Amino acid sequence: MAEASNNNLLAAGAWSNCSGAVRAGDRGDPGVLGSKEEDREAAPRCSWAARKKIKRSCAFWGSWRPGYRGDQGIEGAKGPRDHTRSSAQGVYLKRFIREAQRTLVSDRMKKNSAAAAMGKKGKSPAAPPEVVPDSAYLEAVTQKRISLFEAIQARQALERLSIAGDPIRITLVLDGQVKGGKRWISTPMDVAKEVSSRREAASFLIARVNGALWDMARPLEGDCELELFGFDTKDGRDTFWHSSAHILGEALERAYGCKLCIGPCVTRGEGFYYDAYYGDVTLNEAHFGLIQAQARKAVDEKQPFERIKVSRVEALEMFAENQFKVEIIKELPEDLAITVYRCGDLVDLCRGPHIPNTSFVKAFACTNASSSYWRGKAERESLQRVYGVSFPDSKRLKDYSDMMEEAQRRDHRKLGQKQELFIFNPVSPGCCFFLPHGARILNKLKTFMQQEYWERGYEEVVTPNVYNMSLWETSGHAANYRENMFVFEVDGQEVGLKPMNCPGHCEIFRHRTRSYRELPLRMADFGVLHRNEASGALTGLTRVRRFVQDDAHIFCRESQVKDEVEGVLKFIDDVYKIFGFEYELELSTRPENYLGDVETWNRAEHQLKEALTASGKPWKVNEGDGAFYGPKIDIGVFDALKRKFQCATLQLDFQLPINFKLTYAPEEQGKLERPVMIHRAILGSFERMVAILLEHYGGKWPLWLSPRQAIVCPTAPKPESGYNKEAILEYAKEVRGKMHKAGFYVDVDMTDETFNKKVALAQAAQYNYILAVGPTEVNSGEVTIRVRDKKDQALSTVSVDDAIRRFREEVAAFQ
């Protein structure tokens, strides 16, 4: 499947043909299957055997090319002709052409036969069934939506004429330049062309106007601050992939006549998908060629992304035939202005914004297809989800393809099975069984965090797994998170498994009167959490239903927020350096649905900004993306493959202390004040972190985390050594005993394999060290050390105590 995936990304259907491939009937190769246009369209690709045959013939005939001067006598060539040679060559060429034709046809037949056989075995998807969309329905729906769109668009254009033209000031955030423009006429693209070179202006995909993302072709409505973004920025990339999802949606609708549901960019920042309802059709990789061909057609047409605002009534009329869109529309507030976008034949409900037109997408590929449920609920309609990825040039698609190949090799599900770290079982869906070697890693991580807590002033607590639902009603989770909880009845009362630790920590805080002298109070918990994730969302260790977090909550005074946040940021930096992670920081500020007063929010955001600046790390502001209960700092982690993950979290919370009526006694007698609560995690879920680290290291664990730190491999003694096999094995066990007592995970290879085979097996199992012992080591009480992945390094023979000392030094340095 890995090979099939790569082919999908780089084959002709993904718009990335090999320019050097020989194609029968191509205009550059007259004479082979003919050179007519229809022949070229029908001709299959040359197989490797055919290309080899052609290459041999070219070598034999002196790099034969029809019409080439070095091939005198072939019809069409210029210069004097040698008819004797011409006749011989002509006979050969006819024979060669027939042979090449047979090879091509034979290769195609073998390929089709193999593909069919693989489809039967389940190793590769079978050819897609022929799907004939309801053309009459599609045409009627498409024309209806386009007609409504164009009518509303024309009406709104006329309305703008009466208010357009007033001069406006446009301030560029980047350098403070001020440009003049005209209200409802000037666009960000106009400004980009004025302040940039033509090439640079063409690279801008999206704008931000007064903090809001804005289409490059959308008229400016008044004085504003303007920012411009290309693909190499998060906003530019997300918009590019969101627009590509619309291209995918258009392709799916035209090819299959499906009912489109939702099509966002993927939150992890790797492409996009589109969910749609197909009835009885199930999509797989075999369908990708057709989908990509339709997408390419949309791109070649250079379709502009056009935007209009519609009323609720207009939206319901426009999408009346699609029950999924109707459901979305009906749930929107009645007074909300709804936006609709068009590209080509696709008219879609969307808040935007989008790139200027489809031609910006130079490379496009479908990457996966799977089933999903409408609204993520198993009782709702079954949908098909098609994933894709796109880029502004083919090189980035090639790089992405290479990265995905490496990611497949590092897949934690494969490596976890190979290294016997964990398993999943249908008796407990979404809950991991950690095997002994996997439990070793978990315990190492927990011990590491406990030591860090000790040094940084955290107090560890243990809280219940099950709470009465009254607790979740107080916290607000019963109203906002109930569907993600496991809720059941005990003794006639409704209870729930805890999905997070914060309410329990609030109960600990308020069980007695607190003094300001106790603050900041840093409370850590390794409690087991349960979340009722949809079955379709469960993915290895990265999305599970039962997990453990390195969860902690800091209760502090408002004046202590800056120092505490600085401390957490330092904590995150120290830990991520050990793992070799790079990361980025974003401050998410007050959202529209915030709780509390603006002054408190402003003070909190100011303290977070000061703490971020003091960290010395670059950071960005994500306006309006904070939680309703407080601003937060988002930490995005990048692994060895530059993939982004969300692990650490740092959030201020003003609301839970209010909900639980938390107070402390300040210096002033007879007065009570409300603490601020800081939610924080460094590793996040241990399960997710094990998956990320396993892929980050490619299964090659550093010694301090490794579940297989060393293996003792006895050598076969020679008769003249005076030792037998049993004596060498006993010494190996003695070495293992000493190292085990010192706290290291060490095994002994007691098989009858040759020594070289033992070394090969140990390296494949990713033991950090191989300790060879034979008669020489038995006599001296030493071991010969072989280091993993350092074949060229000279072997060193040391005492067992020195080996233990070396291991301890590496572990202490987190190596």
Side-chain angles (χ1 to χ4, degrees), residues 55-130:
K55 187 176 180 181
R56 283 202 305 268
S57 74
C58 290
F60 180 82
W61 289 106
S63 299
W64 166 79
R65 287 185 221 158
Y68 181 62
R69 286 188 180 274
D71 181 26
Q72 308 295 337
I74 305 297
E75 187 175 354
K78 297 178 180 178
R81 299 175 58 181
D82 180 344
H83 290 277
T84 305
R85 182 178 175 87
S86 171
S87 176
Q89 288 179 335
V91 171
Y92 177 82
L93 283 173
K94 288 179 182 177
R95 188 185 308 126
F96 162 70
I97 291 169
R98 287 196 298 270
E99 196 171 347
Q101 287 174 329
R102 284 196 297 270
T103 304
L104 287 168
V105 174
S106 173
D107 180 71
R108 172 56 62 90
M109 291 175 66
K110 288 178 183 177
K111 189 174 181 181
N112 290 344
S113 176
M118 290 180 70
K120 290 177 183 177
K121 295 177 183 178
K123 294 182 180 179
S124 180
E130 185 177 354

Side-chain angles (χ1 to χ4, degrees), residues 562-624:
K562 176 179 176 291
D563 289 341
E564 288 305 303
V565 171
E566 281 186 30
V568 174
L569 291 175
K570 178 68 165 59
F571 195 170
I572 291 170
D573 189 60
D574 291 346
V575 170
Y576 286 1
K577 277 180 180 175
I578 289 171
F579 293 133
F581 287 150
E582 295 179 1
Y583 64 94
E584 64 180 16
L585 301 168
E586 285 188 354
L587 172 62
S588 296
T589 58
R590 185 177 72 249
E592 292 182 4
N593 62 336
Y594 71 95
L595 296 177
D597 60 273
V598 174
E599 290 75 16
T600 302
W601 274 83
N602 288 342
R603 288 196 302 272
E605 289 176 5
H606 179 70
Q607 292 191 72
L608 291 184
K609 288 177 181 178
E610 287 188 332
L612 284 166
T613 301
S615 73
K617 301 287 183 182
W619 57 278
K620 297 182 291 186
V621 175
N622 195 2
E623 293 286 354

Side-chain angles (χ1 to χ4, degrees), residues 485-505:
M485 294 177 63
F486 289 98
V487 179
F488 50 98
E489 194 173 290
V490 175
D491 297 333
Q493 296 189 27
E494 202 173 39
V495 300
L497 288 172
K498 66 176 178 182
M500 58 270 298
N501 290 308
C502 33
H505 292 184

